[in-house]
């Protein structure tokens, strides 16, 4: 293709490209304003908040592309001199140049907002090493259909955490978890749901209802850590989807599930849990699969009452779901969202947090170390 032909095609594409970029920048600005207003309960907007960082990523392309096209299609200097020496007339190109400058400035502002909202929280900040007593915890959604559970048990035993919180431990899992029963003296669970293994004595067990109907449950264990009481909550919140007729919300999940996105039930569970935690007097960790992105608005309510171990001691995005190879996608695709958490009360300080290796589930495990700060 000759340069003249390429130049002609670029000239034809220049105007629609600028309009497309301007429309994208306006829509992204509208989203940013709605996010600042913290509007929730609108499924499409809630979905946008869940995947918010990905809405800002096209700026990497849309910001420089119109500039490059404009430079490639600019008129030769000799022709420009002749045009400027002639009597001035209204020029559509001048008007488009003005709008292009506004588009560039708008995108620069959006890039700054995106970096502040989503990149800065993922930056690593040095964490002081522990000086007092510590313990370690791991949370892991094993996935009920995990065919590599033996490898998962090996990984968990290799990490040797003091507390393990598992989700989706289907009925009949006891025999498949035999290595953990051999290594940990104390265990309790809700059949077919969550399970806690502990090196510490269980002082109290309580099954908590975090919704009235249909009745989502969480498990609370009060542990004795060398004279200190630690409350461990194991949770697995529902998917933010409206159920299809004659199906549960988490059945037959595919791309069409985005059309059923609805956070109402999951958010109600989180708020009930937070209300119950206000009555907790012991040091606390809350671990599990929250089915909630850390860019969802409801995340702020959790972070306002509890500490996020990953934000406190992790580095990077910490995304844990979905693991591509576990759902039949190429391994090169990385997890999209961080939905697995270990939250903690003020009397605990996270000194380390890390996402674990792929071990057969569509989730990655999350490990954290905590230091007691109560003296």
């Amino acid at each position: 293709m000759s340069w003249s032909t390429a130049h002609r095609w670029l000239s034809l594409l220049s105007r629609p490209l600028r309009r497309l970029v301007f429309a994208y920048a306006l829509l992204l600005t509208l989203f940013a304003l709605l996010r600042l207003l913290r509007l929730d309960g609108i499924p499409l907007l809630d979905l946008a908040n869940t995947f918010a960082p990905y809405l800002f990523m096209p700026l990497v392309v849309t910001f420089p592309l119109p500039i490059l096209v404009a430079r490639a299609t600019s008129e030769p200097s000799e022709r420009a001199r002749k045009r400027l020496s002639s009597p001035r007339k209204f020029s559509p190109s001048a008007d488009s140049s003005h709008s292009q400058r506004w588009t560039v400035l708008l995108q620069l502002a959006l890039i700054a907002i995106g970096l502040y909202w989503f990149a800065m929280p993922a930056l690593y900040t040095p964490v002081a090493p522990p000086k007092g007593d510590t313990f370690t915890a791991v949370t892991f959604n094993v996935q009920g259909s995990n065919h590599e559970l033996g490898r998962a048990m090996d990984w968990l035993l290799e990490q040797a955490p003091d507390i393990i919180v598992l989700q989706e431990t289907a009925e009949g899992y006891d025999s498949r978890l035999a290595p953990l029963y051999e290594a940990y003296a104390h265990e309790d669970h809700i059949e077919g749901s969550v399970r806690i293994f502990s090196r510490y004595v269980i002082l109290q067990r309580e099954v908590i209802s975090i919704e009235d109907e249909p009745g989502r449950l969480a498990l609370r264990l009060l542990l004795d850590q060398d004279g200190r009481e630690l409350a461990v909550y194991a949770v697995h919140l529902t998917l933010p989807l409206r159920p299809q007729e004659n199906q549960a919300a988490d059945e037959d999940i595919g791309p069409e599930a985005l059309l059923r996105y609805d956070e109402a039930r999951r958010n109600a569970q989180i708020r009930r849990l937070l209300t119950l935690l206000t009555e907790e007097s012991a040091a606390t960790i809350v671990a599990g699969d929250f089915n909630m992105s850390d860019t969802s608005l409801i995340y702020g309510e959790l972070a306002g009452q509890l500490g996020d171990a990953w934000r406190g001691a992790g580095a990077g995005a910490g995304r844990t779901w979905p693991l591509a190879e576990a759902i039949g996608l190429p391994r090169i695709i990385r997890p999209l969202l961080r939905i697995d958490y270990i939250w903690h009360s003020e009397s605990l300080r996270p000194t380390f947090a890390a996402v674990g290796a792929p071990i057969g589930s569509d989730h990655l495990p999350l490990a954290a170390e905590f230091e007691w700060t109560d003296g």
Side-chain angles (χ1 to χ4, degrees):
M1 180 185 294
S2 66
W3 167 245
S4 61
T5 304
H7 186 275
R8 187 163 57 253
W9 276 105
L10 284 172
S11 298
L12 290 172
L13 290 172
S14 178
R15 181 171 294 181
L17 180 64
R18 286 198 301 267
R19 289 176 176 173
L20 183 63
V21 170
F22 185 62
Y24 162 68
L26 283 180
L27 286 173
L28 194 58
T29 301
L30 176 61
F31 166 72
L33 290 173
L34 292 174
R35 185 175 173 87
L36 281 171
L37 293 172
R38 301 192 64 81
L39 296 178
D40 64 356
I42 305 171
L44 184 60
L45 183 57
D46 292 337
L47 179 62
N49 279 309
T50 295
F51 292 93
Y54 299 100
L55 301 183
F56 283 77
M57 283 183 177
L59 288 167
V60 176
V61 175
T62 63
F63 175 67
L65 187 59
I67 300 173
L68 295 174
V69 171
R71 285 182 176 273
T73 57
S74 61
E75 61 184 340
S77 58
E78 183 64 29
R79 186 183 302 172
R81 281 196 296 270
K82 289 181 180 180
R83 178 175 55 79
L84 291 172
S85 63
S86 62
R88 292 195 65 180
K89 297 179 180 179
F90 171 75
S91 172
S93 63
D95 184 61
S96 64
S97 177
H98 181 72
S99 65
Q100 183 178 330
R101 282 195 295 270
W102 274 109
T103 303
V104 169
L105 291 173
L106 185 57
Q107 289 188 93
L108 277 174
L110 289 168
I111 289 171
I113 291 171
L115 290 174
Y116 177 76
W117 279 350
F118 311 118
M120 287 184 62
L123 294 177
Y124 175 73
T125 54
V127 179
K131 296 180 180 179
D133 296 333
T134 64
F135 67 92
T136 54
V138 167
T139 182
F140 179 43
N141 183 323
V142 299
Q143 193 180 22
S145 59
N146 192 332
H147 299 296
E148 301 180 39
L149 203 54
R151 187 158 65 92
M153 296 303 101
D154 292 340
W155 184 89
L156 289 167
L157 292 172
E158 183 180 345
Q159 305 307 306
D162 298 301
I163 299 164
I164 298 175
V165 180
L166 302 179
Q167 304 89 49
E168 286 195 29
T169 52
E171 293 185 14
Y173 250 43
D174 288 3
S175 60
R176 300 183 68 189
L177 300 176
L180 295 183
Y181 279 105
E182 293 176 6
Y184 289 84
H186 310 283
E187 183 274 344
D188 213 320
H189 63 274
I190 299 174
E191 188 66 30
S193 180
V194 295
R195 193 174 298 246
I196 300 174
F197 289 89
S198 169
R199 298 192 187 281
Y200 307 107
V201 173
I202 299 172
L203 299 176
Q204 188 180 80
R205 174 191 190 266
E206 185 178 2
V207 175
I208 298 170
S209 173
I210 54 175
E211 69 176 354
D212 295 326
E213 184 65 35
R216 198 73 169 186
L217 302 175
L219 177 63
R220 174 188 179 270
L221 297 185
L222 186 65
L223 307 180
D224 178 8
Q225 286 201 14
D226 302 321
R228 290 187 175 102
E229 290 187 348
L230 174 69
V232 178
Y233 288 75
V235 301
H236 185 192
L237 304 184
T238 56
L239 282 167
L241 298 175
R242 292 187 303 275
Q244 293 177 306
E245 188 176 353
N246 300 322
Q247 284 188 324
D250 56 354
E251 291 180 356
D252 192 24
I253 300 172
E256 76 286 348
L258 296 177
L259 300 176
R260 298 186 284 120
Y261 193 85
D262 189 345
E263 296 184 348
R265 183 182 172 198
R266 186 208 62 200
N267 288 357
Q269 293 170 3
I270 290 174
R271 290 175 178 129
R272 170 75 73 85
L273 178 63
L274 289 174
T275 299
L276 294 170
L277 287 170
T278 59
E279 302 173 3
E280 182 62 70
S281 58
T284 306
I285 63 171
V286 184
D289 175 2
F290 279 70
N291 277 311
M292 173 201 70
S293 164
D294 59 347
T295 59
S296 298
L297 292 181
I298 192 72
Y299 173 91
E301 296 184 33
L302 275 157
Q305 186 169 328
L306 298 166
D308 178 352
W310 181 262
R311 286 280 172 91
R319 300 185 182 106
T320 58
W321 180 90
L323 194 63
E325 52 263 44
I327 57 176
L329 295 176
R331 182 174 296 182
I332 193 172
I333 300 175
R334 308 306 301 162
L336 295 174
L337 302 173
R338 182 161 75 95
I339 66 174
D340 299 273
Y341 300 85
I342 303 177
W343 300 90
H344 62 92
S345 60
E346 289 183 354
S347 54
L348 302 171
R349 181 178 74 91
T351 56
F352 174 79
V355 173
I359 43 179
S361 172
D362 58 339
H363 290 247
L364 293 174
L366 173 65
E369 179 187 66
F370 295 94
E371 178 186 24
W372 289 87
T373 61
D374 57 1

